[in-house]
Amino acid sequence: MPPKPQEERVDLLQGTLDLLILRTLLFGPVHGHGIAKHIERSSRDVLQVEHGSLYPALHRLERNGFIAAKWQKNDKGREMKYYRLTAAGKRQLNKEQSKWQRLAQAIAHVLTPAEGA
Amino acid sequence: MWSKRREDELRKEMDAHLAEEAARLAEEEGLAASDAAAAARRAFGNRLQAAENTREAWGLAWMDRLYHDFAYSFRAMRRSPVLALTGVLTLAMGIGANTAIFSVVSAVLLRPLDYHEPGRLVHISHARFSPMAPANFVDLARDMESFESMSAVGAWSGSMDTQAGREKVLGLTLSPDTFRMLGVAPALGRTFLREEHQVGKNHAVVLSHRLWVRAFGADPAAVGSTVTLSGAAHTITGVMPPSFQFTPFWFTEAELWLPMTLADQAANRRAQYLRLFARLRPGAAFEQADTELHTRWQALEHAYAAENGKLGVRLRTLNEMVVGDIRPALLVLLAAVGFVLLIACANLASLALARSVERRREIAIRTALGGARTRIVRQLLTESMAMALCGGLLGALLAWYGVDALKGWMQNEAVRFAAAIPRVESIAVDRTALLFAIAVSVLSGLLFGLFPALEATRQSLTGNLREGGRGASDGPRSMRTRGMLVVAEVALSIVLLAGAGLMLRTFAALRAIDPGFDPRHTLTLQISAAGQSALRGERRVQFFEQLAGSIRAIPGVESAAFVNHVPIGGDNWRFRAYGEGLPAPAQGEEIAALYRVATPGYFRTMRIALREGRDFEATDRESTQPVVIVNEALARRLWPGESALGKRLTTSLEGNPVWATVVGVAGNTRQESLSEPSGFEYFFPYAQSAMLRDRLDPAFTYMTLVARASLSTSQLANGIRAVVAGVNRDAVLSEVRTMDQILASATWQSRFYMAALLLFAGFALLLAAAGIHGVMTWSVTRRTQEIGIRIALGADRRGVLWMVLRQSAMVVACGIAIGLPLAFVATRTMGRMLYGVTPADPATFVTAPAVLIAVALLASYLPARRASLMDPASTLRGE
């Protein structure tokens, strides 16, 4: 997929990266590179993540116990560090996801004119 | 290291990510391998930053950072080893010296005395710290309100019979409940019972730990056993703990304690030989006790005007008695050594500033790569801290050895206990001193690292990144800062030079004192007949006279005689002197003279001049006319303007006064100390001195031998020992010293301060010279182009030399201008350490700057000369 032009890309808010990582891991263990690619693809290239910025987030989530890591060989035979969601991580994901939805709804209400205004 | 694995894993993870992305790009978008790799890196973003942030996420970032910084610092130090070594050695010497002096201060001044609640213990004496008479003690001890308890202590010296023979031992007699007042329990056995202070029952003795180990082999069975002291049997009732010492400032060599029995002495209001100690009642303030003491003393003065007139009374805390005299000097030394360290730090700060200017590029690159300023400052600080801690470690080691050596030297020099520094045995580089060393190291590191670090990171980026970049504004600013540092160094050096100069003059003045006798080649030692009750009266006189004769017969001995106490090194007993036919002096105005008893030949042996008349002779005996020899001072006082020969005097007007005829007038000698002028002194022949002949009290059974010989000390001592053993096997020899040693011992503290201050001043001069040299070299290097142009345009070489020297002179002049007033204020604290010179001595205050200017000139000459010899062509071509 050709990269989208610069003005269509949106900078990622801090803190939301955690949410995206957790969500990505919902369907099974992925390594760092895979997570980056998944976020980019799923967002249709709108969200461009600097790959490097993933790692602090990943390690922070690991330290807090929301994800767990294991070294494994990928299909090309390269040793990669795979992350998977823990039970606590799943609970955190749900919490963050509902928080995000409430935030998005609140912003939408502000932007959309209210009935009868 | 534990985090190394984590670091390695992270690196592996990121490498794998990059490889994966590169592979994907090559595959999906058909990029060449190198292009794919580059694209992958771009997509990754700032890898270093990511790694940094990940480390922060780990939460132990600060520890990692610290380790990382220290590792970097050591690598940097390895890169410039000479600089690092110089810095570490300088710091080691500065921190080591500070730690050593602090150890002394901590042990002598800061540590509380080893008694229960030592702050409540006080010492009571007369106005000139003289001891008290027993009757006054008894009266004062009655019904005190402010004091919970009061004790009297008397000196005791005698002999102790051990397996090795009879040896001399010093002790103290204590009034009842003294140990309880001090609040220290014995380590073994018990202290005295009340009844053991009664006449006939006072055969108990308590040993010090040191004596118990030395003479009884630390045998617990010693408690309860008997020991013969001065011929009398005593029972050892207890042993005190190792750290116990009493008294802490007087007769500190006492090794045993005996119960005091006053009996008939309790009514004696004349003989002053007791020292009083007391404990304040809980809740009673010192001032309150002082007032009460003065009030009660006034009552006693009125009641007994004849004996107590004009004596006064004084209350001091025990701690003050122990350290009061020496505190100012030790604090002066501590300040001086602190100055040396400050100068060292200034030098290092200057060097660090110069280096940081050189490292501009490196720092600029790091800033460009995203390094926060605080981060870089922290890392630069760590470098200076690393050097400081290394220096501190080495310094602590140096202090350890230095303090050991210093202690040994101090204990050797102070052959007379009165001259000793109190609590010398407890001086050590202990935990407190080590903590101090660490604190000083950290502070030094901060001091010389902080503002060069701040300065270095305050640069503009682009100017420094350019090749050979020389930022527009940093040169003159750094130069100014370095100049100010040199000014500070010069100022502090002046202070140290002034102090050292004053001590030098003090020592010279002390050495120039004529003691009134010739101390060279003269040996002194005490010979005691203690414990030999058969040697009394005429037999004792014969004993000493026979000894004198036999010792004179030793080949190589020029002369020998006995005296009760030698000048400066001996005790000082005083009695009254009344001239016959003279008007009776008013109460409190009586003349007291130092009481000396000598055998014939004393004046010749000591080479004391006999201004008039004759020495004692063998014909002066008990049965012949009582005679006396007075010193010039006493002669002039009693009979001004006339010859004292033939006049008569007595020591007491009571009862049947014995009038002695003056047969000789001797020259004045120094008596109690070298620095005090001579007082009144009179000499009586031993043969006519009933008190010393007849009494069995150990304090009266010994005489001091003085022998002048051309032999070595050990030869003479052995010869004398052999002679004495031949005459009387039970005689006890002790305190073998030469008069030279005694005199040296009297001035050893001055010598010590002088040596220390000279050392510090010398070190400071060296550092200041190095600092000046460094700054001038740096300045010349910076101005290479300018100087080259000047020379090319025709400036003569001499002019260039002066131009550079002028710059140095400005800095030195500023330093001296600040330093002299500082020195003026600082030397006022040295008042008590000085002799024969005032704190504002003009000669010293002129010489000190002169010395500094000479040194500074020397230090600046080389760089100046190099500047003047520059070849303009090469300087303008190169950079």
Side-chain angles (χ1 to χ4, degrees):
Chain A
M1 220 164 174
K4 277 253 169 81
Q6 194 68 16
E7 55 275 12
E8 288 185 36
R9 298 192 197 159
V10 171
D11 286 323
L12 210 53
L13 285 173
Q14 271 192 329
T16 56
L17 186 56
D18 287 11
L19 175 59
L20 295 177
I21 291 173
L22 288 174
R23 173 72 198 187
T24 308
L25 292 178
L26 187 59
F27 302 112
V30 194
H31 52 66
H33 180 252
I35 296 174
K37 284 292 136 206
H38 185 263
I39 292 175
E40 283 177 0
R41 270 189 226 116
S42 307
S43 73
R44 310 218 169 104
D45 264 349
V46 172
L47 295 176
Q48 284 287 335
V49 176
E50 254 196 1
H51 297 182
S53 62
L54 268 183
Y55 287 94
L58 281 170
H59 285 254
R60 187 171 52 244
L61 288 170
E62 185 185 357
R63 194 184 72 164
N64 291 338
F66 299 142
I67 60 179
K70 193 162 80 167
W71 283 89
Q72 265 176 246
K73 283 207 166 74
N74 69 352
D75 45 3
K76 294 205 186 80
R78 204 195 307 276
E79 275 238 349
M80 307 284 289
K81 198 171 182 186
Y82 280 80
Y83 293 92
R84 66 169 176 80
L85 204 59
T86 61
K90 202 138 181 237
R91 286 195 295 275
Q92 181 74 0
L93 171 60
N94 289 333
K95 200 168 84 177
E96 289 293 312
Q97 199 158 346
S98 52
K99 210 161 76 173
W100 172 259
Q101 275 160 357
R102 283 204 309 277
L103 178 66
Q105 267 182 356
I107 293 176
H109 278 175
V110 172
L111 291 178
T112 318
E115 321 281 79
Chain B
M1 230 186 105
W2 47 267
S3 75
K4 190 147 193 330
R5 194 172 56 104
R6 222 200 292 231
E7 286 279 348
D8 287 340
E9 254 198 37
L10 183 63
R11 197 177 330 122
K12 189 171 159 197
E13 194 179 358
M14 290 190 182
D15 286 339
H17 181 121
L18 286 167
E20 190 71 14
E21 176 73 359
R24 186 192 71 83
L25 285 172
E27 201 185 293
E28 290 179 15
E29 298 180 21
L31 290 172
S34 52
D35 293 332
R41 280 199 295 276
R42 270 199 306 275
F44 196 86
N46 188 343
R47 180 178 172 160
L48 290 172
Q49 195 73 42
E52 263 309 295
N53 295 344
T54 310
R55 283 190 207 104
E56 281 204 37
W58 286 337
L60 292 155
W62 68 269
M63 254 206 267
D64 278 345
R65 240 181 270 144
L66 207 65
Y67 170 72
H68 186 78
D69 283 346
F70 268 108
Y72 187 85
S73 309
F74 284 113
R75 281 205 302 276
M77 277 174 31
R78 270 218 307 275
R79 272 201 300 269
S80 36
V82 172
L83 211 68
L85 206 68
T86 320
V88 168
L89 279 179
T90 312
L91 281 169
M93 289 202 268
I95 296 177
N98 270 278
T99 308
I101 302 285
F102 178 80
S103 307
V104 176
V105 168
S106 156
V108 174
L109 297 182
L110 298 180
R111 196 168 303 151
L113 294 169
D114 232 330
Y115 312 116
H116 175 67
E117 285 189 22
R120 314 286 301 160
L121 289 171
V122 295
H123 172 66
I124 301 168
S125 64
H126 288 308
R128 289 185 68 209
F129 295 114
S130 49
M132 275 207 185
N136 286 328
F137 159 62
V138 170
D139 288 334
L140 281 177
R142 243 201 301 266
D143 315 321
M144 318 141 284
E145 284 210 358
S146 323
F147 300 120
E148 173 179 289
S149 53
M150 195 185 287
S151 277
V153 177
W156 183 93
S157 73
S159 64
M160 183 173 75
D161 289 349
T162 65
Q163 283 145 339
R166 184 167 291 191
E167 63 175 65
K168 173 173 171 174
V169 70
L170 296 173
L172 292 168
T173 56
L174 308 174
S175 65
D177 292 331
T178 302
F179 285 110
R180 195 195 340 233
M181 178 189 77
L182 294 173
V184 182
L188 285 179
R190 60 168 178 81
T191 56
F192 308 126
L193 304 169
R194 234 163 215 267
E195 60 248 28
E196 280 169 337
H197 289 270
Q198 291 167 12
V199 181
K201 303 218 184 91
N202 59 348
H203 298 299
V205 63
V206 170
L207 304 180
S208 71
H209 191 264
R210 191 172 64 189
L211 183 63
W212 179 58
V213 167
R214 191 180 81 232
F216 297 89
D219 181 10
V223 178
S225 67
T226 344
V227 64
T228 311
L229 297 172
S230 294
H234 285 74
T235 316
I236 300 172
T237 63
V239 177
M240 295 307 286
S243 58
F244 180 77
Q245 186 195 54
F246 190 69
T247 74
F249 66 92
W250 175 66
F251 231 65
T252 52
E253 300 197 339
E255 292 186 295
L256 52 82
W257 298 276
L258 298 157
M260 181 188 288
T261 311
L262 280 180
D264 53 339
Q265 282 293 305
N268 187 337
R269 213 172 282 272
R270 285 195 175 275
Q272 296 170 10
Y273 61 93
L274 291 181
R275 293 219 172 258
L276 269 55
F277 298 84
R279 177 178 285 278
L280 293 173
R281 203 183 287 280
F286 182 86
E287 294 72 28
Q288 190 184 334
D290 198 29
T291 317
E292 186 189 357
L293 180 69
H294 276 90
T295 320
R296 306 200 76 232
W297 177 253
Q298 258 169 12
L300 283 173
E301 234 180 48
H302 276 129
Y304 305 96
E307 300 93 328
N308 288 348
K310 292 261 176 81
L311 280 177
V313 78
R314 188 174 271 206
L315 186 72
R316 282 277 183 280
T317 62
L318 194 56
N319 196 55
E320 185 67 27
M321 291 305 296
V322 177
V323 304
D325 271 346
I326 208 171
R327 186 190 291 129
L330 284 184
L331 291 180
V332 164
L333 284 187
L334 194 64
V337 81
F339 282 3
V340 173
L341 189 62
L342 281 177
I343 295 178
C345 286
N347 252 2
L348 288 170
S350 191
L351 278 173
L353 196 62
R355 275 194 72 218
S356 73
V357 168
E358 287 161 24
R359 293 168 69 182
R360 277 188 314 244
R361 278 194 73 211
E362 172 203 335
I363 295 172
I365 293 173
R366 295 181 68 187
T367 319
L369 283 179
R373 184 179 176 200
T374 45
R375 179 89 178 78
I376 298 178
V377 167
R378 202 165 42 210
Q379 194 260 310
L380 288 175
L381 255 187
T382 314
E383 281 183 30
S384 63
M385 204 68 77
M387 192 184 288
L389 285 173
C390 278
L393 201 71
L394 196 61
L397 220 72
L398 286 175
W400 192 299
Y401 288 118
V403 165
D404 241 5
L406 193 68
K407 222 167 95 167
W409 182 79
M410 278 188 196
Q411 285 170 321
N412 266 342
E413 286 289 319
V415 294
R416 171 141 182 78
F417 49 74
I421 284 191
R423 311 166 85 182
V424 170
E425 326 74 46
S426 61
I427 297 177
V429 176
D430 58 357
R431 199 174 47 193
T432 323
L434 284 175
L435 280 174
F436 175 81
I438 293 174
V440 167
S441 305
V442 168
L443 276 173
S444 306
L446 276 174
L447 205 66
F448 78 80
L450 196 60
F451 73 90
L454 288 175
E455 192 61 36
T457 51
R458 191 209 304 257
Q459 312 298 332
S460 73
L461 227 52
T462 48
N464 298 333
L465 279 176
R466 247 181 283 135
E467 186 66 37
R470 212 178 303 166
S473 62
D474 66 346
R477 187 205 192 94
S478 307
M479 183 65 205
R480 224 186 8 248
T481 316
R482 290 193 80 184
M484 285 203 296
L485 284 172
V486 172
V487 166
E489 289 183 33
V490 168
L492 288 175
S493 300
I494 288 276
V495 177
L496 286 174
L497 278 172
L502 287 176
M503 281 317 296
L504 205 68
R505 291 203 60 181
T506 297
F507 180 65
L510 282 173
R511 280 201 60 167
I513 296 177
D514 174 17
F517 55 87
D518 185 356
R520 298 168 302 176
H521 309 298
T522 311
L523 187 70
T524 78
L525 54 89
Q526 286 177 9
I527 300 181
S528 169
Q532 298 186 57
S533 42
L535 280 183
R536 285 182 84 173
E538 192 59 28
R539 311 252 313 253
R540 201 183 284 175
V541 177
Q542 277 170 7
F543 168 65
F544 282 109
E545 287 184 341
Q546 185 184 3
L547 270 179
S550 309
I551 290 168
R552 256 182 243 124
I554 298 176
V557 172
E558 181 187 307
S559 48
F562 283 95
V563 69
N564 59 344
H565 301 114
V566 286
I568 298 172
D571 287 344
N572 300 290
W573 292 82
R574 284 190 171 78
F575 291 112
R576 299 274 157 76
Y578 302 100
E580 189 181 37
L582 293 178
Q587 269 177 8
E589 303 279 314
E590 287 99 343
I591 299 167
L594 214 54
Y595 179 69
R596 300 292 195 216
V597 173
T599 63
Y602 172 69
F603 297 99
R604 190 176 69 241
T605 310
M606 292 290 281
R607 299 217 179 133
I608 298 173
L610 268 176
R611 305 274 184 224
E612 295 178 55
R614 64 168 179 87
D615 192 356
F616 299 133
E617 277 152 25
T619 48
D620 294 314
R621 305 221 70 76
E622 175 78 39
S623 47
T624 63
Q625 181 196 44
V627 295
V628 65
I629 296 177
V630 297
N631 75 344
E632 281 179 286
L634 184 59
R636 241 196 311 268
R637 176 70 178 82
L638 285 177
W639 303 286
E642 21 174 358
S643 167
L645 291 184
K647 304 275 194 299
R648 304 209 301 173
L649 63 77
T650 182
T651 59
S652 166
L653 287 174
E654 277 159 35
N656 266 329
V658 175
W659 296 95
T661 313
V662 177
V663 295
V665 177
N668 291 329
T669 68
R670 297 289 161 143
Q671 293 149 347
E672 284 189 81
S673 76
L674 198 57
S675 44
E676 280 177 44
S678 315
F680 308 130
E681 195 172 10
Y682 44 24
F683 299 81
F684 294 90
Y686 187 57
Q688 292 181 351
S689 166
M691 185 171 69
L692 291 194
R693 275 184 347 225
D694 298 333
R695 293 184 56 172
L696 284 178
D697 193 321
F700 298 98
T701 55
Y702 73 90
M703 289 290 277
T704 311
L705 173 77
V706 287
R708 182 177 294 276
S710 50
L711 304 167
S712 75
T713 309
S714 49
Q715 275 180 320
L716 185 57
N718 289 335
I720 293 173
R721 255 187 267 269
V723 164
V724 173
V727 169
N728 182 318
R729 242 171 338 126
D730 287 329
V732 182
L733 269 70
S734 61
E735 309 230 11
V736 180
R737 304 165 297 179
T738 64
M739 281 311 296
D740 267 334
Q741 273 179 326
I742 292 176
L743 278 191
S745 161
T747 59
W748 84 268
Q749 279 188 20
S750 297
R751 260 184 300 142
F752 172 52
Y753 302 142
M754 178 192 76
L757 283 178
L758 274 178
L759 192 71
F760 298 156
F763 196 37
L765 266 184
L766 207 70
L767 286 172
I772 293 174
H773 177 93
V775 172
M776 293 318 299
T777 310
W778 195 70
S779 158
V780 164
T781 313
R782 262 190 60 249
R783 299 168 68 182
T784 306
Q785 278 194 341
E786 173 201 340
I787 295 173
I789 292 173
R790 277 180 192 251
I791 298 179
L793 288 181
D796 82 323
R797 306 224 172 236
R798 193 103 68 87
V800 173
L801 186 83
W802 280 118
M803 180 184 81
V804 177
L805 280 180
R806 223 188 6 252
Q807 191 181 24
S808 155
M810 268 277 297
V811 166
V812 170
C814 275
I816 293 180
I818 298 177
L820 278 178
L822 219 74
F824 190 77
V825 170
T827 53
R828 283 163 63 113
T829 61
M830 286 177 69
R832 276 212 275 182
M833 293 163 70
L834 303 178
Y835 175 80
V837 69
T838 61
D841 178 44
T844 311
F845 275 77
V846 162
T847 318
V851 169
L852 197 102
I853 290 173
V855 168
L857 212 73
L858 216 71
S860 334
Y861 182 68
L862 274 173
R865 196 176 127 85
R866 217 199 345 259
S868 68
L869 292 178
M870 255 187 237
D871 173 22
S874 56
T875 58
L876 288 174
R877 239 202 321 265
E879 273 212 325

